[in-house]
Amino acid sequence: MAWVVLIIAGVLETVWAVALESSKGFSRLVPSLVFVVALVLSMGGLAYAMRSIPLGTGYAVWVGIGAVGTALYGMAAMGDAVTTARIACLVLIVGGAVGLKVLH
């Protein structure tokens, strides 16, 4: 169960990162509220998962999911450049997170 919660928390990290950008420095109410709710749920999920997942593994997987999700969102919806090098770097992040899970 901790791994499921950790994955959801990582996805919520992507949500709060996107909402933070959309809030335009907290000048827009709805994205600012989405940011706060997603941040609290994401951190809460991380805290719950770390009850049974080691600190380094849990944090690295959480950050990896959030970083990859945010980068993919930027490429898909925000016009960020999609290059072979960027995709390769994201694959390396995913590989590292999977490796930490397997070695757990």
Side-chain angles (χ1 to χ4, degrees), residues 84-99:
T84 302
R86 291 187 82 189
I87 298 298
C89 289
L90 294 175
V91 168
L92 289 171
I93 293 170
V94 171
V98 169

Side-chain angles (χ1 to χ4, degrees), residues 4-101:
V4 172
V5 171
L6 183 63
I7 290 167
I8 293 168
V11 171
L12 286 168
E13 185 185 2
T14 297
V15 172
W16 68 252
V18 171
L20 179 61
E21 191 277 331
S22 296
S23 77
K24 305 295 183 203
F26 300 114
S27 65
R28 298 177 59 213
L29 180 61
V30 172
S32 297
L33 292 174
V34 170
F35 165 78
V36 170
V37 170
L39 178 68
V40 168
L41 292 173
S42 180
M43 292 289 179
L46 176 63
Y48 174 84
M50 285 185 166
R51 291 178 181 176
S52 58
I53 298 172
L55 169 68
T57 301
Y59 184 73
V61 169
W62 178 75
V63 168
I65 292 169
V68 170
T70 303
L72 290 174
Y73 180 85
M75 289 179 205
M78 305 297 288
D80 291 356
V82 179
T83 65
T84 302
R86 291 187 82 189
I87 298 298
C89 289
L90 294 175
V91 168
L92 289 171
I93 293 170
V94 171
V98 169
L100 288 171
K101 163 61 170 117

